[in-house]
Each structure stands twice: as C-alpha cells, then as structure tokens.
Amino acid sequence: MDNGTLALLIPIIALSIPIVRIWTKHQRDVARMQISATADATAEKAAQYSSQVQALEDRVRVLERIVTDKGYDVATQIEALRDQRRVDDTDSGVSIESLRKERA
C-alpha cells in the first residue's frame, strides 16, 4: 500500500467505528424489545389457558357431582327430557338444523 491509500483508510476506519457502535447498540435494543414483547404475549396466553383450564375443571366438578351424588337419576331424567324434546321437534316439523341456523 502506498501512503496515499493509507492516509485515506485511516479517517474512514476512524469514522466507521462510532457507526458500528451505534448500529450494535440499536440491534441490542431491538433484541430487548422483542424479548419483552414475547414475554408479554406468553404471559397473556398463560393467563388465557389458565382461565380455560379453570372453566374445564368447574365443568368436571359439576359432572362428578351429578354422577356421584344422587343426581345420577337427575341426569337420566335430563336425557329423557332431551329425547322427548327431539321427538316433539320432529313432530312439529321443525328440524334441529333449522333452529341452529336461526340462532347463528
């Protein structure tokens, strides 16, 4: 290398060092923001799953109570009423599918 090229490279290198430092700091900040956003999203999903699990546990408790208590007869009666309702719906000419479409 001759002296002219060396004289040109020294200021270019000296000016590029702060630019590289600023760029790496920016990349570090972006990574921190991504980590924070991911942590927040994960916490929200965990809370949502927790509420869904709680709802399912409540349903299971109700079903256990129906089966273990003297409510088993009540469950049988409920099923009998549902069967009777299905018969009544078909007798009246109203199909369950049409009722579901109306509700939607």
Side-chain angles (χ1 to χ4, degrees), residues 3-104:
N3 290 337
T5 307
L6 187 60
L8 184 63
L9 286 177
I10 289 174
I12 291 175
I13 292 172
L15 292 175
S16 65
I17 290 173
I19 293 172
V20 170
R21 187 175 346 128
I22 291 169
W23 181 78
T24 55
K25 183 179 183 293
H26 173 72
Q27 292 298 320
R28 194 174 346 135
D29 292 342
V30 168
R32 285 181 184 156
M33 287 188 297
Q34 287 176 342
I35 289 170
S36 175
T38 302
D40 291 343
T42 303
E44 288 176 13
K45 285 183 181 180
Q48 183 182 23
Y49 290 140
S50 173
S51 65
Q52 289 176 349
V53 167
Q54 184 63 39
L56 289 174
E57 287 176 353
D58 292 342
R59 285 178 153 185
V60 168
R61 280 191 202 105
V62 169
L63 291 173
E64 286 175 346
R65 219 176 324 140
I66 288 173
V67 172
T68 56
D69 294 347
K70 294 181 182 176
Y72 187 71
D73 290 334
V74 174
T76 307
Q77 292 172 358
I78 290 172
E79 287 300 321
L81 289 172
R82 283 185 183 154
D83 292 340
Q84 183 181 2
R85 197 164 115 199
R86 286 186 192 130
V87 170
D88 291 343
D89 287 344
T90 56
D91 289 344
S92 65
V94 177
S95 68
I96 295 174
E97 289 79 21
S98 64
L99 291 175
R100 288 181 182 155
K101 288 179 184 177
E102 288 177 10
R103 288 182 184 168

